[in-house]
Amino acid sequence: MFAPFAFARPTHLQDAVDRLAAGGAQVHAGGTDLLGCLRDHVFSVDTLVSLSSIEGLSGIREKGDGGLVIGALTTISEIAGHPEIRRRYPVLAQAAAEVGSPQLRNQGTLGGNLCQKPRCWYYRGDFPCLRKGGYKCFAVNGENQYHCIFGGANCFIVHPSDTAPALVALDAEVQTIGPRGSRRIPVAGLHMPPAENPTRETVLESGEILVEILVPPPADGLYSAYRKIRTRRAWDFAIAGCALALAMDGTRVRDCRVVLSGAAPIPWRSRETEEVLRGAVLDDAAIREASEAVVATAQPMSKNGYKVPLFKGMIEEELRKALEA
Ligand SMILES: Cc1cc2nc3c(=O)[nH]c(=O)nc-3n(C[C@H](O)[C@H](O)[C@H](O)COP(=O)(O)OP(=O)(O)OC[C@H]3O[C@@H](n4cnc5c(N)ncnc54)[C@H](O)[C@@H]3O)c2cc1C
């Protein structure tokens, strides 16, 4: 059962910003995450502000510099199937194709995917957890098999989005509009680490709307890929995943980003792995070293130690695929 709420469908962005800034309101995009939260009483709202009648928020277009602009209301299906994204940014197309199920990809949007709430069963359940403004993280001494092994601090969720790690790997940015005007935020800085504030998922301020996602032109020699491991083959979130973006000169890695999913409360850049790979010739020795480095700083909890060999093996397999590509 839903608690009652009002539903507004403004036709102008500024009107949406004003309605959101008034408080007690939330953006409604595809609703695939939001409506579940409301139905399950994870939180409540006075008003949902739909973006669906505002022109220009969906679609994919080329930027003058060779990059892409993706409207925040663009569906996940459109991203997964877009020929230019598949050709030039396989990591993003592959990550989008791994989201949920065809129904969720048809209805869910990229903006909603980046801003969705975590899937922790204590957060979603009837527990006064820290993220809901309560007093502790119940995963610490509880059922923590799907929780994080990096970056936990005071709350041990894993960040749920598949597209966010891919966009961090591609060094994408988001353009927002809010009560204090417009700003650009790197996707790498969009998500709030729990040590800074465990009750917020993003750094977006009250009333701030994500308008578009800007993806820079692909680096010369870019190899990119997304891998997701989950307990079921569909309708499920990553227990371990990685987005790779390797700028290659032949077999030498000129530059790279390695971003983990299912690992930490935010998309997790494995700087240790990047350090091993940057400047290295991608051979057996480098791949072995990188797969050790990816788990070097892991801090598994009582029931998720299985993630350590999982990440290690996954990075090794993914780097071998890059070598053979
Ligand atoms: C069974 C199930 C399985 C799923 N599996 C996956 C999965 O494997 N991988 C995955 O990544 N996701 C998964 N999801 C989560 C979700 O469906 C997707 O992330 C989807 O893309 C969310 O988009 P939406 O448009 O429906 O967001 P909504 O539900 O409309 O919004 C989600 C949140 O983002 C905020 N928001 C939305 N758009 C904006 C915006 N433009 N600016 C500011 N805030 C905004 C909303 O206020 C809300 O808090 C799953 C969901 C379900 C129910």
Side-chain angles (χ1 to χ4, degrees), residues 259-288:
V259 188
L260 307 181
S261 54
I266 58 174
W268 192 254
R269 263 185 89 176
S270 178
R271 294 188 186 269
E272 296 80 7
T273 315
E274 292 177 5
E275 222 165 273
V276 168
L277 293 175
R278 196 170 291 115
V281 170
L282 194 59
D283 57 12
D284 281 351
I287 291 174
R288 252 195 320 274

Side-chain angles (χ1 to χ4, degrees), residues 26-27 29-34 100 109 113 115-116 162 210 228 236:
Q26 278 220 22
V27 171
T32 59
D33 177 52
L34 181 61
T109 65
N113 194 268
C115 298
Q116 63 179 295
D162 285 306
L210 208 154
K228 175 176 177 178
D236 217 349

Side-chain angles (χ1 to χ4, degrees), residues 26-35 43 51 72 76 98-100 104 107-109 111-113 115-117 119 160-163 204 208-211 228 230 235-237:
Q26 278 220 22
V27 171
H28 175 273
T32 59
D33 177 52
L34 181 61
L35 295 182
F43 51 80
L51 304 181
I76 301 295
E98 291 282 356
V99 170
L104 287 161
Q107 177 70 16
T109 65
N113 194 268
C115 298
Q116 63 179 295
K117 305 287 182 190
R119 286 279 149 181
S161 163
D162 285 306
T163 62
L204 296 183
E208 192 169 6
I209 299 172
L210 208 154
V211 176
K228 175 176 177 178
R230 49 187 161 184
W235 294 89
D236 217 349
F237 293 83

Side-chain angles (χ1 to χ4, degrees), residues 177-217:
I177 182 165
R180 295 201 277 174
S182 297
R183 61 172 173 156
R184 270 193 196 184
I185 310 169
V187 181
L190 178 64
H191 297 100
M192 180 73 84
E196 284 176 41
N197 187 338
T199 67
R200 287 172 59 183
E201 283 71 48
T202 69
V203 301
L204 296 183
E205 292 170 357
S206 174
E208 192 169 6
I209 299 172
L210 208 154
V211 176
E212 55 195 19
I213 294 86
L214 305 130
V215 189

